[in-house]
Amino acid sequence: GQNLTIGLSFPSLSFAWFSFLEQAVKDKAAQLGGIDVISLEAENNVSKQISIIEDMIVKGVKGVLLVPIEVEAVIPAVEALNKANIPVVTVDRRIKEDAPVKVLCHVGADNTEGGRNAARYIVQKLTEKYGEPKGTVIELTGTPGAGPAIDRSAGFNEIIKQYPNITVKSQTANFRRDDGMKVMEDFIMSTPQIDAVFGANDEMILGAIQALQASGKFKVEDVITVGFDALPEALKLIEEGTLDATIEQFPGRQASTAFEVLVKFLREGVSPEKSVMLIEPKVITKDNLNEAEKSF
Amino acid sequence: MPVLSEENVPLVQRFFVFWDKVGILLAFLVVCVIFGMLNPVFFNPLNILNVIRQVSIIGVIAVGMTFVILLGGIDLSVGSVVAFAGIIAAGFQAKWGGNLFLSVVIPLLIGGGIGFMNGFVSTKGQLHPFIVTLGSMSIFRGATLLVAQGKPISGMSPAFRFIGAGMVGPIPFPVILFIGCVIVAGMVLKRTVFGRYIYAIGGNEEAALLSGIMVERYKIAAFTILGFLSGLSALILTSRLNSGELVAGQGYELDVIASVIIGGTSLMGGEGGVYGTLIGALLIGVVSNGLNLLGVQPYWQMIVKGLIVILAVLLDKLKRRFRTV
Amino acid sequence: MPVLSEENVPLVQRFFVFWDKVGILLAFLVVCVIFGMLNPVFFNPLNILNVIRQVSIIGVIAVGMTFVILLGGIDLSVGSVVAFAGIIAAGFQAKWGGNLFLSVVIPLLIGGGIGFMNGFVSTKGQLHPFIVTLGSMSIFRGATLLVAQGKPISGMSPAFRFIGAGMVGPIPFPVILFIGCVIVAGMVLKRTVFGRYIYAIGGNEEAALLSGIMVERYKIAAFTILGFLSGLSALILTSRLNSGELVAGQGYELDVIASVIIGGTSLMGGEGGVYGTLIGALLIGVVSNGLNLLGVQPYWQMIVKGLIVILAVLLDKLKRRFRTV
Amino acid sequence: MGEDDVILKFENVTKRFPGVLALDNVSFAIRKGEVHALVGENGAGKSTLIKIVTGVYQKTSGEVIFDGKPVHFLTPHEALRNGIAAIYQEFNLIPALTVAENIFMGHHFTRRNFIVDWGKMREEARKLMEFLDVDIDVDAQVRDLGVAKKQVVEIAKALSLNARVLIMDEPTATLAQKEIEGLFRIIRFLKGKGVTVIYISHRLEEIYEVCDRVTVLRDGRYVGTRNVKEIKVDEIIRMMVGREVVEKFPRVAHHAGEEVLRVENLTRHGVLENISFSVRKGEILGIAGMVGSGRTELLRAIYGLDPIDAGKIYVKGKEVHIHSPLEAINHGIALLPEERKTQGLVLLLSVLDNLGLPLLPSLSNRGFVDDKKLTAVAQDMVEHMNIKTPSLLQKTMYLSGGNQQKVVLGKWFARNCDIYLFDEPTRGIDVGAKIEIYHLMNKLIERGSTIVMVSSELPEILAMSDRILVMREGKVMGELTREEATKEAILQLALGRREEYARVE
Ligand SMILES: Nc1ncnc2c1ncn2[C@@H]1O[C@H](COP(=O)(O)OP(=O)(O)OP(=O)(O)O)[C@@H](O)[C@H]1O
Ligand SMILES: Nc1ncnc2c1ncn2[C@@H]1O[C@H](COP(=O)(O)OP(=O)(O)OP(=O)(O)O)[C@@H](O)[C@H]1O
Ligand SMILES: [Mg+2]
Ligand SMILES: [Mg+2]
């Protein structure tokens, strides 16, 4: 039959996590066959993302796979898609639940839950170390104001706050490796004892590990380090024993599931059974490395 | 001095004199025609309105930036002002009582106020506006996060949503606002004393001062106008997004300044105008829209965008080579 | 003509003549002392070396930017050049054979080459470098993503890692590179013909041209130096992070330009120098480090950083007020 | 003199710049409706004094009394509102705007107080041009005008203000005879209307034509005020300089050698037409003409600044193609541009650096500047040219107009060139220093160089040139030898009566 054109709009290509997601979509498309994917990134800019979707509508795509930059701000674009009768599936991040718009399906992980998982892991490790949950934890948060940064931090702190003997020191490192390193260097100067570090993405924790290794004050092995996103590089460090854990949100599985749902709807008119498919974020450690989606 | 009569001017040169007036418009049309040939959807009236609406958020600010750059100044804080004024607008809509009047007027006043401060500090303190506005860029990004406590604010009333999403007949309301700003600013620059003083100050500040022009006052005024228009842009954006976003406006400063410069206004001040800015903003919007319509890969989009911007201004400047032939 | 002897100059004025020479240094010291009082760790030698090392990545570029800004130019593409040269270095280290020589030399040449192009297009095309480098900023960000295929490249050899992470005695190697660049650039600007020409061109391009200076050649040279130093910065960064990053260098342009301006170099060209830039870069680094040491919240950090930058330059400029009393 | 006659009075006015005492207890008065000349050597403090009146500078101490009341203007705006207008020594025009708009800058004609009335403005500008009897298109951009025309625009601008006190700081420095006469006509007209004029000039003979009284400043101090009718030039000079200055034009005879520069049929469409001439070693060739006759354009074309459409240039018998100033310099040609502030100096740099600019390659060692040699050369120049500066390291922006001009001159004198193209070399230079400069020119000739000198000052061109080329509308109208040349002969040619004086070649 005729080739199907599907639009993929996602926040930014500068983060490897999204390029895995994009790749997964493209692989799935190749596997299903007869599909053109138009993938456009929005340079992390909400109004650009809306423009991109408008442009996709003008171009006449048949369906849209959307990774929203912000849960709320993208709603006008979804409204426009609804108006143009173009089905949309959201991936990774869900638009606000009570919004008066139609979304065919949402496939995603829960950043807040990921943050909670990271916190639980750290609490467990601290308990192993001291016999009780106590110590000093550094939290490297993402770009201030960005959705994932807010959610991951919220989940993380929700759990950690339950343990009064754990001190959390937070600072932003903008989801960047160089900032992660720099901020960690400053923490190393100002903090006599560091027991654990949580980076709200792997980039930041990788930078922090560089700083710890170079410090001479702390040994990376003695510090509990947890990242987020399960990038190949992080997995490799887990294998080597430098990094303790990372949170896997399965971008490939999310993307290919969502894409399959969308194509099925377009080709066969079949709506998905569930309108929300959540994939449980998983803590990846040395013990369950094989459960990680990406290889290294 | 022997003045050449019309007939004596070689045809080529007459063409370039013409070009001089049309300037970037020609380059813009060339780009449009190419996109139109590659994808006919491009010239669909809906798409054209679509592009202008997309552009209006940057464009409204670019109108104000034209004033500031004509004066030889610059403002990097516009993006942060958009975020700050936007969050305040959203706050008045969704948190602090939902009064339509307040949620429109206060953000505009705040924008104007920040612009005033930028102008005041840079003129009175004799600091280059680059560094002052770099400072306020950081300050108001922080203030935005502080006011919003790190979370976006959403839920605008239908009346407020009209600003960014409403239609007047077939025309989106933001387009009307944007084109209105261009026309008013064009008139101000060409026909009012204020406008002429802007050119005078940008062309030679000392001469303007010695001619009895209150240079500082006009500089502050230009920054205030820019701040005010950034506030307007914040209203359009917040209303369109139905939400006050914390990362709103990030990176706008570069798009805005690029629009003004592509439009032929000199960064040294004193030369240019707002119609050029209109074309400059449209060019940036059209390139992005055209590449999206063609489905060009993101990596390549960045590369092609950069090249088109350089080539367009190069085409515009080629005329200089010929003008003095 | 009656020249005032030292004794006749009022004490206040003598103080300000002194200040004029020290400039931003004083403001910098004030900031340092305040931070040191709030947190004694600040003056720990380890922390001081730490700050200088952190600053060196921006600082090396800022040295090159000083040349360009002295000429009245500007370069927005430095961040993208860092990313592109960095990914190439990482590529040579981790993917294309791991040859140390190539992974050092090629990125430097690429940096210099991009700088040359920026200079060439803007001088020959008579375009403001703002717009040309805005274009190449986009082009090389795209090129970085293209080369890396969207994924960071990591795994550097120990020899390569020395550039960013090595120590010479107690001193980090990047600090040596940075301070070395400052000293060499200072000598070039102060003592060589090339340096003098930079000031002359920046001060008055037409007069320089009429004096027989090949203005275009020197402009291109300055951009090339900046590109080369951006390449050096890319080596330091890539080596320190042990990885070629896609977002590397994003936003560097503003920090770099801010360092130069805070350091007293005029955006109009012709005035300033590289020692000021050193202080400017250190000031930015110290503010960030100091606020981190104090554990100031991110929102407040932005606000305070913005304020400190403005106040520091204001303090530096206050002297003008007094000079002509 | 009764108090009510006095419009402007200075009482112990002192102005101190860092390292410089520009005005030292100056006291004198200016009467209502008179034309008052203010003279003094370069750097005597004339410009500083008027800038204090108009609020550009603030005095350090003392009192300025205007119309019986002490005033202290903080901006030019306040001075203008009080009826004090000035033509400053340096241009204050906005290059990108039209002549008409520049004239009415700051007091545009408006409707409803804010809408610019363009029609009225151009109309009034045209009337002013007619009144001044000059041919300037009021719609032209100021940047396209030559220096002299810019000066005329400045004058028109000042006239348009309807001021009660009009200050003119060297308005005639670049004007040629015809325009100067026009200006004097206007000054007399204004005087008739009761306007007070303060007139600054280094051309002392002008003072006798229009001024009533003259005040002399020296080294920032008041020397005296005299009625013009009661004082001789020599005496004014003695008051200015503090000693006798005897010879005015120290011209010595030269032996012309071989030809060093020949221009054949040089053409630049619309500006220069078929220009041919040649100069020999040891000669001074003067180029005279009215405002806008293309003299500056000719020098610029030779120097490679403007492209030429046709014609050939030979240096020492060999044809050369010059595309940039550096190429010109490499052929031994130097150009002293007509506008010191925009073309001659890097204002932000010191006297030392400016003097050294064309010399650096020869004063350096493997790219490193030899600062000792440079300082020695610069010191030498400062002494020779009598440049008044607190030190070699003073930024040129803080020098007085005349001293800036001396730096521009010194820059090229210090460098050994075969051919010097001088465009209005003594613009704004005081009498004493001029003679020094003529001596230096003679020295250059003795050294074997050649000078081509464009000047609007007829006495200077008559006295210093071996031959004089007269231009009009981009064409050479004729060439006069030293013997043939008289003021009348030049004017006839410059105004276009070719047949009487043209020499058949
Ligand atoms: N802004 C300034 N800063 C420092 N010194 C200055 C400044 N302006 C003028 N001067 C000095 O003040 C003195 C008087 O200068 P002024 O310009 O008044 O001289 P002038 O009489 O107008 O000379 P000329 O005939 O050369 O124009 C000079 O020595 C000059 O160097
Ligand atoms: N860039 C330009 N564009 C257009 N016209 C110009 C330009 N430059 C000069 N002209 C005109 O060319 C003519 C020749 O000017 P030029 O400056 O050479 O004359 P000049 O004899 O040196 O007179 P002046 O005393 O005014 O310098 C003038 O009428 C001037 O207005
Ligand atoms: Mg003077
Ligand atoms: Mg001339």
Side-chain angles (χ1 to χ4, degrees):
Chain A
Q2 211 197 340
N3 261 14
L4 211 52
T5 310
I6 289 180
L8 166 63
S9 166
F10 59 103
S12 164
L13 256 188
S14 297
F15 296 99
W17 199 82
F18 292 116
S19 61
F20 284 112
L21 191 142
E22 191 202 20
Q23 195 54 50
V25 169
K26 285 187 174 156
D27 292 347
K28 194 78 201 172
Q31 188 197 332
L32 295 174
I35 302 171
D36 288 337
V37 177
I38 295 177
S39 89
L40 295 171
E41 71 132 26
E43 293 167 31
N44 251 330
N45 178 332
V46 275
S47 44
K48 266 201 184 122
Q49 185 163 45
I50 294 183
S51 300
I52 282 171
I53 291 169
E54 286 169 349
D55 292 347
M56 284 176 174
I57 295 171
V58 172
K59 187 171 167 64
V61 297
K62 292 287 176 293
V64 169
L65 210 59
L66 174 63
V67 186
I69 298 175
E70 287 297 329
V71 289
E72 182 76 38
V74 80
I75 289 173
V78 180
E79 274 170 2
L81 285 168
N82 287 169
K83 230 187 183 161
N85 259 324
I86 298 172
V88 53
V89 173
T90 53
V91 187
D92 187 37
R93 313 208 56 225
R94 192 175 174 184
I95 63 171
K96 224 172 112 193
E97 286 175 47
D98 50 2
V101 289
K102 279 200 320 249
V103 173
L104 179 64
C105 176
H106 170 71
V107 183
D110 184 345
N111 276 309
T112 315
E113 184 58 24
R116 287 188 199 113
N117 283 347
R120 287 185 194 115
Y121 177 81
I122 287 176
V123 169
Q124 178 205 336
K125 283 287 170 184
L126 286 175
T127 315
E128 282 171 22
K129 187 171 171 188
Y130 292 114
E132 56 165 323
K134 68 166 193 180
T136 306
V137 181
I138 304 292
E139 182 201 12
L140 301 176
T141 59
T143 311
I150 299 170
D151 293 348
R152 289 173 192 180
S153 182
F156 184 79
N157 283 295
E158 181 191 317
I159 299 295
I160 289 280
K161 259 200 225 122
Q162 299 167 6
Y163 304 92
N165 291 336
I166 299 180
T167 322
V168 181
K169 291 187 168 189
S170 298
Q171 192 55 262
T172 179
N174 301 309
F175 283 138
R176 290 170 60 149
R177 196 180 298 202
D178 51 352
D179 285 351
M181 178 171 67
K182 208 164 109 186
V183 171
M184 197 61 210
E185 283 167 352
D186 292 342
F187 272 125
I188 290 168
M189 288 297 153
S190 64
T191 317
Q193 172 63 26
I194 294 173
D195 296 299
V197 186
F198 167 55
N201 76 351
D202 279 342
E203 293 285 347
M204 293 190 288
I205 199 71
L206 290 171
I209 285 175
Q210 295 296 341
L212 285 170
Q213 278 175 334
S215 71
K217 187 169 163 187
F218 299 103
K219 279 173 70 185
V220 201
E221 292 74 22
D222 300 342
V223 179
I224 303 157
T225 47
V226 180
F228 208 109
D229 284 350
L231 297 186
E233 235 184 305
L235 298 175
K236 195 168 153 201
L237 288 189
I238 290 177
E239 158 105 303
E240 287 167 7
T242 320
L243 179 66
D244 290 291
T246 185
I247 309 298
E248 171 67 283
Q249 289 193 322
F250 306 101
R253 203 188 308 164
Q254 287 185 40
S256 54
T257 314
F259 195 71
E260 233 172 344
V261 167
L262 185 60
V263 172
K264 205 160 187 182
F265 178 76
L266 290 171
R267 284 208 172 135
E268 299 159 29
V270 182
S271 291
E273 288 153 35
K274 289 185 291 181
S275 67
V276 177
M277 299 182 206
L278 286 183
I279 291 169
E280 187 71 7
K282 191 156 237 157
V283 179
I284 301 288
T285 63
K286 211 168 180 169
D287 305 327
N288 63 348
L289 260 180
N290 57 331
E291 288 178 38
E293 188 170 75
K294 289 146 278 191
S295 55
F296 48 84
Chain B
M1 189 197 53
V3 174
L4 289 172
S5 62
E6 277 289 313
E7 305 90 84
N8 288 338
V9 183
L11 197 69
V12 194
Q13 205 177 337
R14 248 192 293 166
F15 170 69
F16 282 102
V17 167
F18 165 74
W19 190 346
D20 206 11
K21 286 189 195 122
V22 212
I24 194 73
L25 186 57
L26 221 68
F28 172 67
L29 292 178
V30 169
V31 170
C32 286
V33 168
I34 293 177
F35 277 128
M37 287 191 322
L38 292 174
N39 189 343
V41 172
F42 181 83
F43 279 128
N44 186 323
L46 276 180
N47 189 48
I48 292 175
L49 283 178
N50 178 23
V51 173
I52 307 181
R53 186 178 52 193
Q54 289 171 0
V55 162
S56 61
I57 292 166
I58 291 289
V60 165
I61 314 176
V63 168
M65 190 67 88
T66 309
F67 283 80
V68 166
I69 293 185
L70 277 175
L71 279 172
I74 199 156
D75 190 337
L76 301 177
S77 70
V78 288
S80 294
V81 175
V82 166
F84 188 64
I87 213 79
I88 298 286
F92 272 105
Q93 278 286 302
K95 280 185 170 174
W96 313 320
N99 183 313
L100 180 67
F101 179 76
L102 290 183
S103 47
V104 168
V105 171
I106 303 279
L108 291 176
L109 291 182
I110 285 181
I114 298 174
F116 177 86
M117 286 296 299
N118 284 333
F120 187 84
V121 174
S122 62
T123 54
K124 298 291 177 186
Q126 295 171 28
L127 299 179
H128 198 287
F130 191 100
I131 201 77
V132 174
T133 57
L134 189 70
S136 36
M137 174 180 178
S138 179
I139 293 172
F140 288 100
R141 182 65 60 189
T144 305
L145 292 164
L146 201 64
V147 169
Q149 282 303 315
K151 287 182 206 75
I153 301 175
S154 51
M156 312 292 124
S157 67
F160 185 80
R161 294 222 55 202
F162 183 80
I163 302 171
M167 305 287 273
V168 178
I171 317 275
F173 190 56
V175 172
I176 292 178
L177 285 176
F178 174 35
I179 302 297
C181 285
V182 171
I183 292 172
V184 171
M187 297 238 297
V188 168
L189 284 177
K190 177 106 191 100
R191 311 182 69 95
T192 69
V193 176
F194 173 68
R196 302 321 297 170
Y197 285 2
I198 298 272
Y199 282 98
I201 296 167
N204 185 343
E205 187 170 330
E206 202 185 337
L209 190 73
L210 293 176
S211 302
I213 296 174
M214 308 287 270
V215 170
E216 297 194 342
R217 183 185 298 175
Y218 291 101
K219 282 188 164 178
I220 296 175
F223 276 97
T224 309
I225 291 174
L226 171 55
F228 181 85
L229 290 176
S230 305
L232 181 58
S233 170
L235 291 182
I236 299 176
L237 181 68
T238 311
S239 150
R240 264 207 96 193
L241 297 179
N242 193 18
S243 145
E245 291 292 319
L246 302 170
V247 287
Q250 236 162 35
Y252 277 18
E253 58 282 358
L254 289 185
D255 274 353
V256 167
I257 297 169
S259 303
V260 177
I261 303 180
I262 293 174
T265 297
S266 158
L267 259 183
M268 304 284 103
E271 276 176 282
V274 79
Y275 298 112
T277 301
L278 171 65
I279 306 296
L282 286 176
L283 181 72
I284 291 182
V286 156
V287 169
S288 179
N289 170 265
L291 293 174
N292 284 347
L293 290 186
L294 293 175
V296 174
Q297 291 296 305
Y299 313 146
W300 286 107
Q301 278 217 15
M302 292 186 194
I303 297 176
V304 174
K305 264 185 214 168
L307 286 175
I308 291 183
V309 165
I310 295 179
L311 289 178
V313 284
L314 210 53
L315 200 66
D316 177 32
K317 283 290 158 65
L318 260 188
K319 68 195 182 198
R320 280 216 199 150
R321 291 273 142 140
F322 293 87
R323 205 171 64 174
T324 41
V325 160
Chain C
M1 191 196 43
V3 174
L4 287 172
S5 62
E6 278 290 312
E7 305 92 85
N8 288 338
V9 185
L11 195 70
V12 194
Q13 206 177 336
R14 249 192 292 167
F15 170 69
F16 283 102
V17 168
F18 164 75
W19 189 345
D20 206 10
K21 284 188 197 122
V22 212
I24 195 75
L25 186 58
L26 223 68
F28 172 69
L29 293 178
V30 168
V31 171
C32 285
V33 167
I34 293 176
F35 277 127
M37 288 192 319
L38 292 175
N39 189 345
V41 173
F42 181 82
F43 280 126
N44 185 324
L46 277 178
N47 188 50
I48 291 173
L49 284 176
N50 174 32
V51 174
I52 308 181
R53 186 177 52 192
Q54 289 173 355
V55 162
S56 62
I57 290 165
I58 290 288
V60 166
I61 314 175
V63 169
M65 189 67 87
T66 309
F67 284 81
V68 167
I69 293 185
L70 276 174
L71 280 172
I74 200 157
D75 189 337
L76 300 177
S77 71
V78 289
S80 295
V81 175
V82 166
F84 188 64
I87 214 80
I88 298 285
F92 273 105
Q93 277 286 302
K95 280 185 169 173
W96 314 318
N99 183 313
L100 181 66
F101 180 76
L102 290 183
S103 47
V104 168
V105 171
I106 303 279
L108 291 177
L109 290 182
I110 284 180
I114 297 174
F116 177 85
M117 285 297 299
N118 284 335
F120 187 84
V121 173
S122 61
T123 54
K124 298 292 177 185
Q126 294 171 27
L127 298 181
H128 198 287
F130 191 99
I131 201 78
V132 174
T133 57
L134 190 70
S136 40
M137 175 180 180
S138 178
I139 293 172
F140 290 100
R141 183 62 60 189
T144 305
L145 293 170
L146 199 64
V147 169
Q149 285 300 316
K151 291 173 204 81
I153 301 176
S154 49
M156 313 290 123
S157 69
F160 184 80
R161 295 224 55 202
F162 183 79
I163 303 171
M167 303 287 273
V168 178
I171 316 275
F173 189 57
V175 172
I176 293 179
L177 285 176
F178 174 36
I179 302 298
C181 285
V182 171
I183 292 171
V184 170
M187 293 242 298
V188 168
L189 284 177
K190 180 125 190 79
R191 311 188 67 93
T192 68
V193 176
F194 174 67
R196 301 283 167 97
Y197 281 180
I198 297 271
Y199 283 99
I201 295 169
N204 185 345
E205 194 172 322
E206 196 177 350
L209 186 75
L210 285 170
S211 301
I213 297 172
M214 301 291 274
V215 170
E216 298 193 341
R217 182 186 297 174
Y218 291 99
K219 281 188 167 180
I220 296 175
F223 276 97
T224 309
I225 291 173
L226 171 55
F228 180 85
L229 290 176
S230 305
L232 180 59
S233 168
L235 291 180
I236 300 176
L237 182 68
T238 312
S239 151
R240 280 206 79 196
L241 291 178
N242 193 17
S243 148
E245 292 289 305
L246 303 174
V247 290
Q250 231 164 40
Y252 278 17
E253 61 281 357
L254 289 185
D255 274 354
V256 167
I257 297 169
S259 303
V260 178
I261 303 181
I262 293 174
T265 297
S266 156
L267 260 184
M268 306 282 103
E271 262 180 308
V274 79
Y275 298 112
T277 301
L278 171 65
I279 306 296
L282 286 176
L283 180 72
I284 291 182
V286 155
V287 169
S288 168
N289 169 265
L291 292 175
N292 279 345
L293 292 186
L294 294 175
V296 175
Q297 292 298 306
Y299 312 155
W300 282 106
Q301 279 217 14
M302 294 186 193
I303 295 176
V304 174
K305 266 184 209 168
L307 285 174
I308 291 183
V309 165
I310 295 179
L311 288 178
V313 284
L314 209 53
L315 200 65
D316 178 31
K317 283 291 159 64
L318 258 190
K319 68 197 180 198
R320 280 215 197 151
R321 289 273 143 139
F322 292 88
R323 208 170 60 177
T324 41
V325 162
Chain D
M1 150 180 94
E3 273 297 312
D4 49 331
D5 263 20
V6 170
I7 186 149
L8 194 62
K9 194 166 161 202
F10 300 96
E11 281 179 2
N12 299 316
V13 173
T14 297
K15 175 69 189 176
R16 207 184 279 278
F17 292 111
V20 180
L21 187 58
L23 291 173
D24 184 7
N25 270 310
V26 171
S27 309
F28 69 99
I30 287 161
R31 290 182 198 147
K32 223 170 261 177
E34 73 170 336
V35 181
H36 194 112
L38 190 57
V39 299
E41 284 183 294
N42 295 130
K46 307 179 291 293
S47 301
T48 305
L49 190 69
I50 68 154
K51 284 183 178 166
I52 284 173
V53 175
T54 60
V56 178
Y57 292 151
Q58 310 306 316
K59 55 191 181 294
T60 311
S61 65
E63 205 71 84
V64 176
I65 296 165
F66 175 59
D67 232 1
K69 288 182 292 286
V71 289
H72 187 95
F73 301 131
L74 291 171
T75 61
H77 182 80
E78 289 176 38
L80 282 169
R81 263 203 339 228
N82 283 282
I84 302 178
I87 301 172
Y88 297 93
Q89 191 170 6
E90 308 297 341
F91 294 130
N92 287 293
L93 299 171
I94 292 135
L97 302 185
T98 64
V99 169
E101 200 171 3
N102 263 287
I103 292 174
F104 294 102
M105 184 50 64
H107 52 285
H108 285 78
F109 285 102
T110 54
R111 275 173 286 156
R112 270 175 285 142
N113 257 330
F114 71 99
I115 305 284
V116 176
D117 188 342
W118 286 98
K120 179 111 193 270
M121 212 157 72
R122 293 170 53 206
E123 181 57 37
E124 293 295 320
R126 223 172 276 132
K127 274 191 205 151
L128 270 171
M129 289 301 151
E130 257 165 48
F131 185 61
L132 286 166
D133 191 21
V134 286
D135 169 31
I136 295 178
D137 176 8
V138 297
D139 294 323
Q141 282 191 350
V142 161
R143 72 151 59 101
D144 292 335
L145 302 183
V147 166
K149 284 188 177 175
K150 282 186 190 155
Q151 187 70 64
V152 174
V153 176
E154 283 276 9
I155 292 168
K157 183 175 164 185
L159 291 182
S160 73
L161 283 162
N162 287 322
R164 292 164 63 202
V165 176
L166 181 58
I167 306 174
M168 302 185 174
D169 196 348
E170 295 192 36
T172 56
T174 57
L175 294 187
Q177 202 61 33
K178 177 170 157 260
E179 289 78 24
I180 294 177
E181 277 157 18
L183 179 66
F184 289 168
R185 201 161 35 77
I186 289 153
I187 291 178
R188 290 190 197 105
F189 171 82
L190 290 175
K191 189 181 160 191
K193 290 206 321 187
V195 176
T196 310
V197 177
I198 302 175
Y199 188 88
I200 299 177
S201 180
H202 289 297
R203 298 184 180 177
L204 299 179
E205 66 276 7
E206 290 173 4
I207 290 167
Y208 288 89
E209 293 204 35
V210 279
C211 299
D212 302 310
R213 295 197 304 154
V214 53
T215 291
V216 180
L217 294 180
R218 183 166 77 227
D219 288 344
R221 279 187 288 269
Y222 172 72
V223 178
T225 303
R226 300 283 189 277
N227 278 325
V228 168
K229 291 207 187 78
E230 294 156 16
I231 186 170
K232 290 228 173 61
V233 172
D234 297 349
E235 209 176 327
I236 297 182
I237 295 177
R238 201 179 319 121
M239 287 171 78
M240 281 168 56
V241 188
R243 63 185 157 85
E244 210 74 40
V245 177
V246 271
E247 37 171 3
K248 238 193 133 186
F249 293 106
R251 178 70 182 133
V252 291
H254 307 294
H255 307 285
E258 73 276 20
E259 178 186 277
V260 286
L261 174 69
R262 183 155 47 106
V263 172
E264 276 180 8
N265 301 321
L266 189 95
T267 299
R268 200 171 164 236
H269 295 313
V271 187
L272 299 171
E273 215 182 306
N274 261 325
I275 303 222
S276 304
F277 68 88
S278 82
V279 216
R280 288 186 288 175
K281 189 169 173 172
E283 252 190 335
I284 298 182
L285 175 72
I287 301 182
M290 289 291 120
V291 169
S293 56
R295 298 162 300 171
T296 298
E297 302 286 326
L298 174 60
L299 300 192
R300 285 176 62 92
I302 296 173
Y303 199 54
L305 279 166
D306 297 327
I308 53 182
D309 296 318
K312 289 179 177 151
I313 298 172
Y314 298 87
V315 173
K316 292 185 186 153
K318 271 211 300 260
E319 189 179 352
V320 294
H321 300 276
I322 297 170
H323 303 103
S324 73
L326 183 61
E327 285 173 37
I329 289 171
N330 289 340
H331 283 111
I333 305 175
L335 171 76
L336 178 125
E338 65 178 340
E339 240 178 288
R340 58 180 167 250
K341 252 185 143 166
T342 58
Q343 304 171 326
L345 292 173
V346 183
L347 291 170
L348 290 169
L349 291 185
S350 64
V351 173
L352 176 77
D353 286 331
N354 272 288
L355 285 172
L357 211 49
L359 295 173
L360 285 184
S362 59
L363 291 178
S364 63
N365 196 343
R366 290 202 209 104
F368 283 87
V369 178
D370 185 338
D371 274 308
K372 270 218 195 86
K373 268 198 226 162
L374 178 59
T375 311
V377 173
Q379 189 63 47
D380 199 42
M381 254 313 133
V382 166
E383 278 161 21
H384 256 91
M385 314 263 319
N386 194 18
I387 299 172
K388 285 187 188 168
T389 169
S391 86
L392 277 180
L393 299 179
Q394 178 80 328
K395 288 184 181 174
T396 47
M397 64 193 287
Y398 300 132
L399 296 190
S400 79
N403 283 305
Q404 288 178 342
Q405 182 71 18
K406 289 185 201 168
V407 174
V408 183
L409 274 164
K411 199 167 110 174
W412 288 115
F413 279 165
R415 193 186 154 111
N416 233 326
C417 294
D418 297 331
I419 303 161
Y420 292 92
L421 310 176
F422 285 154
D423 200 351
E424 310 283 2
T426 60
R427 178 183 175 202
I429 287 181
D430 69 46
V431 255
K434 260 184 196 169
I435 291 164
E436 290 307 313
I437 284 164
Y438 298 141
H439 278 302
L440 281 166
M441 285 189 186
N442 283 336
K443 256 195 214 145
L444 293 181
I445 295 292
E446 275 157 32
R447 204 167 70 185
S449 303
T450 303
I451 295 176
V452 177
M453 177 171 74
V454 166
S455 172
S456 295
E457 209 177 324
L458 279 183
E460 169 178 285
I461 216 159
L462 281 168
M464 295 300 294
S465 318
D466 295 298
R467 282 181 296 136
I468 298 170
L469 218 58
V470 186
M471 288 182 67
R472 193 177 103 87
E473 293 185 345
K475 291 189 274 265
V476 174
M477 302 305 288
E479 192 182 307
L480 302 169
T481 62
R482 199 171 164 71
E483 294 72 39
E484 293 165 330
T486 60
K487 192 170 160 183
E488 290 70 32
I490 291 176
L491 283 178
Q492 297 274 15
L493 280 175
L495 293 170
R497 264 150 279 166
R498 186 188 180 113
E499 59 283 359
E500 285 171 57
Y501 288 92
R503 219 182 52 165
V504 188
E505 301 220 32

